[in-house]
Amino acid sequence: MNGRDLLGGVMVPLVTPMSAPGEPSAAAAYDLLDALAQAGARSLMLFGSNGEGPLLPTSSLTEFAAGVAARWRELTGDGPVLVNVTAAGTAEALERAAAVRLAEPDALVVSPPIYFKHRDDEVVAHFAAFADLGIPVVAYNVPSYSVPMTPPVLDEVLAMPHVIGIKDSSGDLALLGHLVAAARRRPDVGVSQGSETQLVAGLEAGADGIVPGIANLAPVLCVELYDAYRAGRTAAADAAQETSDRVLALHTVRRGVPAVKAVLAARGLCPPHVAAPFVPASPAERAGLLDLLRPLDAHLIAPR
């Protein structure tokens, strides 16, 4: 698939519903997937930071990825499913790629390695190692968790034939402009913006689509933002960004995935279980989250 088509629209970086702490369950995801499809989300990314991917053992990925991919394609008519395989080293990332083959991902999402601070040539070699898998790759610049991709690295990686796109979560609009320019040297390379406070700004800079974590909670709002921008209704897009920022305030009560899962659990769409060392939101945190979001209830996801 053309990378620009693949990354267009709203992609949900899916949380990973679990039957017990640390145990991904495709069946536990079905209600959430139904609601997301009904809301107009176009594609999924599994096992990213919102999906607790690096906390999950490779052995737990296959069944969940295959089950979720099958369900999503049934609901959406072959909506794209991308799978993140981020790891500390190239060997483990390749093992994770092998583990999710059964899901027939439309692309693998590959970030630079995590933990060590690698040189640019080592980061480039990491991406080159995926060339012979027969699965397209979307690069993932996520400097909060992995080695930042510098402009020279971006230029080299986006020139690789097996790389068909990039997701940028740096929040650096100047860098986003650089990678958009690098991507446009080829007609088939897409760009997706993952910085949630800069969704409109990312689209203005040339991104083809958005991948906001809050799409798990407010998918209709994210779709409205994207559609409004593409239709030239900039005031409506800006208003949707402002409302999105209000939803994002939930992270001031409890940061990260446990907060998102707590809200989804309250709406009957996802168990609150998380992977260690995360712990679920406490009763007080859960109450604080629900109080904060109550005025925004009309914008939040609801069971189908």
Side-chain angles (χ1 to χ4, degrees):
M1 182 182 291
N2 181 293
R4 298 193 70 175
D5 293 337
L6 181 67
L7 296 183
V10 176
M11 181 181 297
V12 181
L14 190 71
V15 297
T16 300
M18 299 175 182
S19 58
E23 298 183 12
S25 168
Y30 283 178
D31 288 344
L32 177 57
L33 294 175
D34 290 354
L36 290 171
Q38 180 70 20
R42 179 172 177 268
S43 54
L44 302 178
M45 184 181 81
L46 309 184
F47 304 135
S49 55
N50 287 278
E52 302 167 80
L55 297 181
L56 300 171
T58 301
S59 60
S60 73
L61 305 182
T62 304
E63 185 176 348
F64 181 85
V68 166
R71 179 67 173 177
W72 186 249
R73 289 162 179 155
E74 177 184 328
L75 290 168
T76 61
D78 294 330
V81 177
L82 288 70
V83 183
N84 180 54
V85 295
T86 288
T90 303
E92 183 186 351
L94 291 171
E95 288 174 2
R96 295 172 84 83
V100 301
R101 270 191 176 276
L102 187 63
E104 299 181 347
D106 293 275
L108 298 172
V109 179
V110 179
S111 80
I114 59 178
Y115 192 79
F116 289 107
K117 293 183 178 180
H118 293 279
R119 302 185 330 184
D120 281 2
D121 59 337
E122 293 169 334
V123 174
V124 170
H126 178 72
F127 282 96
F130 289 80
D132 297 328
L133 297 188
I135 306 174
V137 164
V138 170
Y140 184 11
N141 184 39
V142 55
S144 295
Y145 301 114
S146 64
V147 180
M149 297 181 74
T150 64
V153 166
L154 288 166
D155 290 343
E156 286 197 62
V157 170
L158 292 176
M160 295 178 181
H162 64 290
V163 175
I164 63 167
I166 183 164
K167 176 192 174 186
D168 180 56
S169 295
S170 69
D172 183 339
L173 291 177
L175 183 66
L176 178 63
H178 179 93
L179 69 86
V180 167
R184 295 298 176 256
R185 294 174 192 141
R186 291 168 51 193
D188 60 338
V189 175
V191 177
S192 189
Q193 161 72 306
S195 179
E196 293 175 297
T197 61
Q198 297 176 327
L199 299 174
V200 172
L203 293 169
E204 289 173 341
D208 299 293
I210 55 175
V211 193
I214 59 163
N216 285 283
L217 291 178
V220 170
L221 180 63
C222 294
V223 171
E224 288 175 349
L225 183 154
Y226 178 84
D227 288 347
Y229 178 80
R230 289 298 179 214
R233 295 184 286 111
T234 54
D238 289 340
Q241 178 73 73
E242 291 177 4
T243 304
S244 297
D245 292 344
R246 293 175 62 197
V247 176
L248 282 170
L250 90 163
H251 295 299
T252 64
V253 177
R254 171 66 189 272
R255 186 168 181 81
V257 177
V260 175
K261 284 189 169 180
V263 177
L264 289 173
R267 304 182 81 80
L269 291 170
C270 176
H273 306 307
V274 288
F278 280 137
V279 296
S282 69
E285 288 170 336
R286 180 180 181 276
L289 290 165
L290 298 183
D291 285 345
L292 176 72
L293 293 176
R294 191 166 289 112
L296 300 168
D297 186 75
H299 298 286
L300 301 183
I301 192 169
R304 187 171 179 176

